[in-house]
Amino acid sequence: MTTGTSGDVLLRATDVVKHFPVRSGSIFRRAVGAVHAVDGVSLEVRQGETLGLVGETGCGKSTLARCITRLYDLTSGTVEFDGADISKLGASAMRPYRREMQMIFQDPYGSLNPRRRVGSIIGDPFAIHGIASGQDRRRRVQEAMELVGLNPEHYNRFPAEFSGGQRQRIGIARALALRPKLVICDEPVSALDVSIQAQVINLLSDLQKELNLTYIFIAHDLSVVRHVSDRVAVMYLGKVAEIGPSEDIYQKGRHPYTQALLSAVPVPDPRKMEGRARIVLAGDVPSPLNPPTGCRFHPRCPKARDTCVSEDPPLIPRLGDPPIHAAACHFPVEVGEDISLSTPQISESERVIEGGLIGNA
Amino acid sequence: MALLEVEDLRVSFATPDGQLDAVRGLSFTVESGKTLGIVGESGSGKSVSTQAIMGLVRGARISGSALFDGNDLLTMDSEALRKIRGAEIGMIFQDPLSSLHPYYRVGWQIIEMIRAHDSSIAKDTARTRAVELLRLVGIPQAENRVDDFPHQFSGGMRQRAMIAMAMALNPKLLIADEPTTALDVTVQAQVLEVMKRLQEEFGTAIIMITHDLGVIAEVADDVVVMYAGAVMEEGARDTIFYDAHHPYAEGLLLSLPGYGTRERLVPIAGQPPSLISLPEGCPFRPRCPYAFDRCTETPPLLDVGDKDDHGSACWLPADRKARAGMRHQPATKRPVAKRAAKK
Ligand SMILES: Nc1ncnc2c1ncn2[C@@H]1O[C@H](COP(=O)(O)OP(=O)(O)OP(=O)(O)O)[C@@H](O)[C@H]1O
Ligand SMILES: Nc1ncnc2c1ncn2[C@@H]1O[C@H](COP(=O)(O)OP(=O)(O)O)[C@@H](O)[C@H]1O
Ligand code: SF4
Ligand code: SF4
Ligand SMILES: [Mg+2]
Ligand SMILES: [Mg+2]
């Protein structure tokens, strides 16, 4: 098995920054600061692969996705799609690219207009891009419905007549109707029960194979991400902390945050769970309004030292890892090292301390 | 005697579409100091059943019994039940804002909670206790944060404040309904850690309601698997994880992504039934890969083999091999073809 890096680069993000200005309450509404939602992200996605995107809530996953698809203008940086720089294109110049990049969202309830028939919802991309009409459009919509396992005869039904899993299929059918190249799945199965989740994950992987799709897969559930991804990027406070082939990230994560995040996942296998060392991080993610200096993870990191407070570690291969596996950490984790035994070597004022739950538990 | 013994609990609602039977003959027991995990898909009746026991369901027909320390919570007068709620049984919900009042300081709410049950406790004693509780659940600088409003707390801190409040009167039983579902795994780990520590320190029994089998694996001593308002299987944690009998329990476990494998998942076909018009016989029948003629008759919770602490509401034989032979499609996972296709 390859790690999905054999294909051509379909998408390249370089130093993508997205700041949201925060304005004062006064009538002049001066910008008083900015939420650093995405703060310098560079990554590549290759044709046919699945790149998983993980990280705690608010770390910038959805914002990055919206920058890539240009639903947001970038504050700075560039996005290249299929070799063309699309970062500064206006709405009409973006149009042909919009067809090629589609999104699937988390909420199968909220993202579908309840008063519209399913056939017309799935037909949206055709309408937007002025492709196919009348019977022709209907036929193509029904094809899309069949593709995702919906009964084409349900063309005239309303979303409320479908279950959660079926509604997610409607979202998938809509996203795939125009046969895009890149599909960004933002928490596509989070709102579904496990038994239904498995149906939708299988569907997504069948479709990927059938249509040669490229996925960016955002999810909270790290075992789902591991299951579907060739490579995984771990984000923390608007930056990529670590990126690499899925199994490398899960088995020899170099970044302490990667390790902490993965060790926090409860495994549905009690025997496996027992001997496991868990790294319980102190506190919550700091505010993206005012990210910590140096390495952003230093206030919560069990391995932090003074260098971490002053210097931002670059995202590069560490400890002799291959170029495809990079981590942004000055003191990367060695294979076999148990960081739950580490104690931060920085002054207390630089740390988050919460009820004794620092570093280990 | 167990701390809580629920027997044949039934809860139904009158809806415009007809009678909805949310809980249909549910029985389970909780032992002192132990954690019972209740797992099931959304709509399986997890919340309604525990809320019914606590007298928190309005406009429903409720029957059965729920003996807490020998007294039936379902027939108790509302004043007596109110006393038990909070003092003897604490509750934590998925959304902390539903039980923390947004307009009052967190500490004040804990103090009021303590004094409502024992007005002889002086205000500053109660305040000291509130600070102590907040410290216990890991709120930093508890003596300052005690005067914060709920919105000044992060999601994880609110959830912990709610645990502090639920634990304020040192209850014998803590009912936690999806307490970590809305949280990041990192924060979830903190919250579960706090609950474990409290249980060790105070011997509190816990009912942990969740749809996450990982959480169950981590905290439960015993497990009840619910489907369509009834128990499908019950047993010790390891029995459920390694020796499940019921096809639904087996299906849930099979549908999870394997740890580190990328094999194709084995989902449960179809979707949960409507609670207004349930299928005849076994409620899992329309989705069950083992269903046979007998299944049109509703199976009671039967002992599996000769084990009286392992029950399954299914007609299949206890013997694994015999059972496996009755499956319509094989349960083996096959590799995802895409991976094979790529060099
Ligand atoms: N339109 C906006 N205006 C201001 N701030 C925003 C806006 N959208 C997002 N943010 C902030 O940017 C940060 C990143 O948000 P984003 O939605 O990308 O997170 P996420 O990683 O997708 O989180 P989740 O896992 O909860 O979906 C957060 O701090 C969020 O509050
Ligand atoms: N007040 C109500 N009126 C009508 N139906 C209800 C009411 N509360 C819950 N239900 C229904 O009862 C069933 C069980 O709900 P619940 O216990 O909340 O499920 P869960 O297992 O997800 O906690 C669901 O079908 C739900 O829609
Ligand atoms: S750079 Fe320092 S603070 Fe950041 S993750 Fe590495 S060790 Fe921790
Ligand atoms: S009783 Fe029959 S239908 Fe129900 S779970 Fe058992 S085999 Fe399946
Ligand atoms: Mg998001
Ligand atoms: Mg519920």
Side-chain angles (χ1 to χ4, degrees), chain B residues 238-254:
Chain B
D238 285 11
T239 305
I240 299 296
F241 278 92
Y242 303 117
D243 200 15
H245 175 272
H246 199 282
Y248 174 64
E250 179 192 75
L252 280 183
L253 289 163
L254 276 176

Side-chain angles (χ1 to χ4, degrees), chain B residues 54-197:
Chain B
M54 296 305 294
L56 296 173
V57 174
R58 304 264 162 269
R61 244 194 17 233
I62 301 172
S63 68
S65 66
L67 299 184
F68 179 75
D69 259 347
N71 302 313
D72 189 356
L73 299 171
L74 296 184
T75 52
M76 197 174 278
D77 68 69
S78 57
E79 183 53 24
L81 188 58
R82 206 186 54 78
K83 285 226 171 87
I84 287 186
R85 229 166 25 219
E88 312 236 341
I89 307 181
M91 298 195 75
I92 322 174
F93 303 97
Q94 174 169 351
D95 172 17
L97 286 180
S98 65
S99 37
L100 285 176
H101 197 290
Y103 298 152
Y104 299 100
R105 296 173 196 281
V106 172
W108 187 88
Q109 298 189 47
I110 300 175
I111 294 166
E112 280 305 296
M113 166 95 189
I114 295 171
R115 289 180 26 102
H117 282 275
D118 186 352
S119 51
S120 71
I121 297 175
K123 264 220 171 93
D124 38 338
T125 313
R127 188 185 158 90
T128 310
R129 174 98 183 111
V131 172
E132 208 175 280
L133 283 160
L134 289 176
R135 192 172 297 134
L136 203 65
V137 296
I139 302 286
Q141 290 137 27
E143 55 297 341
N144 304 330
R145 305 304 297 261
V146 67
D147 292 323
D148 278 3
F149 290 97
H151 70 86
Q152 292 170 281
F153 277 19
S154 71
M157 285 165 71
R158 275 184 220 136
Q159 201 56 288
R160 286 189 232 178
M162 192 156 73
I163 297 175
M165 198 144 104
M167 294 296 295
L169 299 161
N170 204 356
K172 292 182 186 146
L173 174 65
L174 184 64
I175 300 179
D177 190 348
E178 309 258 8
T180 58
T181 301
L183 306 174
D184 274 316
V185 286
T186 46
V187 183
Q188 166 170 286
Q190 297 168 359
V191 170
L192 294 181
E193 205 66 48
V194 164
M195 290 179 67
K196 254 192 238 166
R197 223 173 47 201

Side-chain angles (χ1 to χ4, degrees), chain A residues 84-314:
Chain A
D85 183 350
I86 59 166
S87 20
K88 290 174 193 72
L89 299 184
S92 63
M94 255 317 279
R95 219 161 229 250
Y97 295 102
R98 285 261 144 77
R99 267 186 75 170
E100 308 280 4
M101 300 189 232
Q102 292 287 332
M103 286 190 73
I104 298 171
F105 297 97
Q106 168 174 4
D107 181 8
Y109 305 91
S111 59
L112 304 175
N113 182 338
R115 279 182 295 277
R116 293 180 56 207
R117 294 180 196 279
V118 163
S120 110
I121 292 175
I122 299 174
D124 271 346
F126 295 101
I128 292 167
H129 295 281
I131 299 166
S133 57
Q135 277 308 310
D136 189 28
R137 182 179 300 172
R138 186 188 172 103
R139 184 182 54 76
R140 293 185 61 176
V141 165
Q142 288 184 323
E143 268 172 27
M145 291 176 76
E146 222 162 355
L147 188 69
V148 300
L150 289 170
N151 184 345
E153 282 162 27
H154 295 167
Y155 187 90
N156 281 320
R157 295 205 175 171
F158 292 98
E161 297 172 63
F162 293 85
S163 71
Q166 286 173 324
R167 276 181 250 200
Q168 199 51 288
R169 287 170 197 262
I170 296 172
I172 295 171
R174 176 172 60 182
L176 299 186
L178 292 181
R179 302 293 146 92
K181 288 190 177 139
L182 175 69
V183 181
I184 301 184
C185 310
D186 194 351
E187 306 269 0
V189 295
S190 309
L192 305 174
D193 280 313
V194 274
S195 72
I196 309 293
Q197 249 184 41
Q199 295 175 5
V200 173
I201 291 169
N202 279 352
L203 173 68
L204 286 170
S205 88
D206 291 345
L207 291 170
Q208 177 167 45
K209 179 175 50 128
E210 210 171 308
L211 307 175
N212 191 24
L213 298 170
T214 304
Y215 285 150
I216 294 180
F217 196 99
I218 302 172
H220 272 112
D221 187 328
L222 294 152
S223 54
V224 167
V225 170
R226 180 180 196 173
H227 182 81
V228 301
S229 308
D230 299 292
R231 290 189 304 133
V232 172
V234 180
M235 285 186 71
Y236 189 75
L237 266 181
K239 279 179 168 288
V240 175
E242 183 161 9
I243 186 167
S246 193
E247 283 317 297
D248 289 9
I249 296 290
Y250 281 76
Q251 279 172 12
K252 45 174 189 173
R254 298 299 191 191
H255 200 288
Y257 178 65
T258 306
Q259 297 252 333
L261 190 64
L262 292 176
S263 83
V265 181
V267 180
D269 187 340
R271 286 178 198 150
K272 232 177 225 166
M273 202 101 132
E274 253 144 35
R276 223 166 55 130
R278 164 162 290 176
I279 307 137
V280 178
L281 288 179
D284 301 289
V285 183
S287 159
L289 251 175
N290 210 342
T293 58
C295 170
R296 293 176 178 211
F297 187 52
H298 82 251
R300 299 169 84 197
C301 181
K303 292 191 75 177
R305 300 190 218 165
D306 290 335
T307 325
C308 311
V309 180
S310 54
E311 282 170 46
D312 190 3

